Amino acid sequence: MVDTPATGHRVNAGMGWFSTGVVALAAIESVRADALLWGVFSVLVAIVVSIPALTTGEWTAMVPWPLVSVAAVAVTARAVGVSPDAAGYLAIAMLALVIVVELDAFTSIELGRRFAVVFGVLTAMAIEALWIIAQFYSDRWLGTDFLSTQTELQLDIVSVTVMSVVVGSLVYWYLVRFESAGIVDRSAQGVKSE
């Protein structure tokens, strides 16, 4: 069988949807383990990954599957308790990078690759800030114990920033090195490509 662009899009979408299913299962596991906040975060990841397909009506509209797979691994590792802090930092960084890649690939916004990495880091920091607010209210209303000291809070911010720089640099390398399968053709959308 000849590998055509359409086949590449279907393979990318299939692998991406499989990973999205894994994220959904991780959300269920988080809720079962009384980690409601992480369950909600996992559902958010699944929704964000699904947005291009939902808005375009094309099930093959998906960011490159390695991004979704790494996000799925991070969310799943966090759900089952494997290195929960590092997995949480990676999950937040991957959510930010998926958002940035979706903006670049599925909208008229054109981001240079280096700028996309910087924008991804800033997006991860913004998501971490929102996550800290969610943790604060979870501690207050649900009786959880996410935020114990200011030093731990600052370490979380620094850790997410470092993780997003590392992951963003790897994504930059990936995008420069490999053709991104599964991304909507800009010329078909009437959008000027790079």
Side-chain angles (χ1 to χ4, degrees):
M1 182 165 116
V2 176
D3 189 30
T4 64
T7 303
H9 291 301
R10 286 194 299 272
V11 169
N12 180 73
M15 294 178 81
W17 284 113
F18 175 78
S19 296
T20 305
V22 170
V23 171
L25 290 175
I28 293 169
E29 179 58 31
S30 292
V31 171
R32 283 190 48 219
D34 291 328
L36 182 62
L37 200 57
W38 277 105
V40 169
F41 181 84
S42 300
V43 169
L44 177 66
V45 170
I47 289 170
V48 168
V49 167
S50 304
I51 286 175
L54 295 173
T55 57
T56 64
E58 296 287 329
W59 73 275
T60 58
M62 177 79 62
V63 297
W65 69 267
L67 292 177
V68 184
S69 297
V70 173
V73 167
V75 168
T76 303
R78 178 65 178 91
V80 297
V82 176
S83 189
D85 289 340
Y89 304 145
L90 180 59
I92 290 170
M94 291 310 299
L95 175 60
L97 289 171
V98 166
I99 290 169
V100 170
V101 170
E102 285 180 355
L103 284 173
D104 186 54
F106 298 105
T107 67
S108 60
I109 298 170
E110 290 189 46
L111 303 173
R113 289 191 175 123
R114 287 187 183 121
F115 178 78
V117 171
V118 172
F119 187 58
V121 171
L122 294 175
T123 304
M125 291 171 69
I127 292 171
E128 176 63 15
L130 293 173
W131 185 246
I132 288 168
I133 293 168
Q135 289 175 324
F136 173 80
Y137 284 108
S138 176
D139 287 352
R140 177 173 271 184
W141 295 337
L142 303 176
T144 57
D145 189 27
F146 284 115
L147 304 175
S148 53
T149 66
Q150 185 175 0
T151 303
E152 184 180 342
L153 179 88
Q154 293 167 342
L155 181 62
D156 284 351
I157 294 169
V158 170
S159 298
V160 165
T161 303
V162 169
M163 183 70 75
S164 62
V165 167
V166 170
V167 172
S169 299
L170 291 173
V171 169
Y172 173 80
W173 172 82
Y174 172 81
L175 292 175
V176 167
R177 185 134 172 115
F178 302 102
E179 177 90 20
S180 297
I183 293 184
V184 174
D185 182 14
R186 289 184 184 270
S187 61
Q189 294 178 329
V191 177
K192 186 173 58 172
S193 62
E194 288 184 35

